[in-house]
Structure formats: C-alpha cells, structure tokens
Amino acid sequence: MLVIRLLRIGKKNQPSFKVVVTEKKSSPTKGTFIEEVGFWNPLTKERNIKKERVEYWISVGAKPSDTVHNMLIEEGLISEDKKKKHSKKKKEEGEEEGEEEEGSKKEEKKKEEKKEEKDKPKEKKPPKKKDEKKEKEEKEESKKEKKEPKKSEEKEEKEEKE
C-alpha cells in the first residue's frame, strides 16, 4: 500500500521535510522512497507541492498521512475535512454517564496513591542480625590474638638472649 508522508531532513533544531511517496511498511528515513512530490519548511512556512504528481498518486491509490492530508486541504487539492492530529479515544457505545464518573474516580484514586508513595520516605534496611555481628567480632578477636602471640614470643626471645 502506498502512502504520501513526510521525510525529515535538515539540521538539528532546523527541521525541513520532503513530501514523498513510499510503501507503508518501509520507513522513508532509509532513503528508499518512490518519488519526491514536494517539500515543507515549518520554520519559514514555505511549502512547495507538485499538484499533478500528488493527484496522480492519489488516483493510483496512495493515501496521505494525517499531516500531509491537512496540507493538501490547505493547498486546495482535496476538498474534505481536516483530520485531527490528537484525537481522544472513542468511548464504547452504550456507556452511561454514571459509569464514566466511576472510571474517573478510579483514576483519581490511582493518582492519589502514586502521590502518597512518592511522599513516603524509603524504608530503611533492617539492621544486621546479632549473629552476623557476633561473627564479625569473633573474627576480629581471633586476628588480634594471632598478632599478640607473635609479640609475646618476640619478647620472650629477647629476654632469653639477655
């Protein structure tokens, strides 16, 4: 399926776009598009679209993306309503107002719980067990004992020599 979409070009913080015809599944950023049919610079509001080529591709079956669709309406190529960029999810049919209120209450409760979790200080780790402390102390004592006999042995040797 063919799509007419935008391909971003330009430097960082200086966007400009090519309007290209490409396959829906292939990304235009790879540089593999069928035809370039125009360009758009949002900073200078400059727009150039090849009307004949766009009309041809639409007649062949290419569908424009939402943004390109709105651009074509502004250029006068299409006489339809604009598509909303950010549409809200449609609610299921048959849903009553009471159910909507319950849903919003649930969302509010979740938000409150998240705030409470953030406000709570993080729990401290429990202190080490006494057994572990005792083991460490015993190890330290044994190290000291090993060192002390050496000193006492040295003193004894000195005394014997004298």
Side-chain angles (χ1 to χ4, degrees):
M1 181 176 170
L2 295 174
V3 179
I4 303 172
R5 58 167 59 155
L6 298 173
L7 165 65
R8 188 177 196 272
I9 56 173
K11 297 177 183 178
K12 182 178 178 183
N13 296 326
Q14 294 180 352
S16 58
F17 299 89
K18 287 182 180 180
V19 182
V20 297
V21 179
T22 183
E23 285 290 325
K24 183 168 182 132
K25 292 184 181 179
S26 69
S27 172
T29 57
K30 295 177 183 175
T32 55
F33 52 86
I34 299 169
E35 184 179 352
E36 180 183 342
V37 292
F39 74 90
W40 174 48
N41 186 343
L43 298 178
T44 62
K45 309 293 184 205
E46 185 179 2
R47 208 185 289 175
N48 184 8
I49 297 176
K50 299 175 186 174
K51 296 179 180 181
E52 300 87 30
R53 296 307 298 163
V54 171
E55 289 173 354
Y56 167 76
W57 285 110
I58 290 174
S59 68
V60 171
K63 293 186 179 179
S65 67
D66 291 346
T67 306
V68 173
H69 182 269
N70 293 341
M71 286 173 53
L72 295 176
I73 290 172
E74 289 174 8
E75 292 288 323
L77 291 172
I78 301 176
S79 58
E80 296 178 9
D81 293 334
K82 283 189 171 185
K83 294 184 180 178
K84 295 181 180 178
K85 292 181 183 177
H86 306 288
S87 61
K88 295 181 180 178
K89 292 183 181 179
K90 294 181 180 178
K91 295 184 179 180
E92 295 180 16
E93 294 178 15
E95 206 173 71
E96 296 178 9
E97 291 179 12
E99 292 176 6
E100 291 176 15
E101 290 176 8
E102 289 176 9
S104 63
K105 289 179 182 178
K106 289 178 184 177
E107 290 175 4
E108 289 176 12
K109 287 180 182 178
K110 288 180 182 178
K111 288 180 182 178
E112 289 175 10
E113 289 174 1
K114 287 181 181 179
K115 287 180 183 178
E116 289 174 4
E117 289 176 8
K118 289 180 181 178
D119 293 341
K120 289 181 182 178
K122 294 183 180 178
E123 295 180 8
K124 295 181 180 179
K125 294 181 181 178
K128 293 185 178 179
K129 296 178 182 177
K130 292 181 180 179
D131 296 335
E132 292 176 9
K133 288 183 180 179
K134 287 181 180 177
E135 289 177 3
K136 285 186 178 180
E137 291 175 358
E138 290 174 1
K139 287 180 182 179
E140 290 175 306
E141 289 177 1
S142 64
K143 288 180 182 177
K144 289 180 181 178
E145 290 176 1
K146 290 179 182 176
K147 292 179 181 177
E148 290 177 1
K150 291 180 181 177
K151 290 180 183 178
S152 60
E153 290 176 3
E154 291 175 1
K155 288 180 181 178
E156 291 175 4
E157 291 176 1
K158 286 182 182 179
E159 291 175 0
E160 288 177 0
K161 288 181 182 177
E162 293 175 357

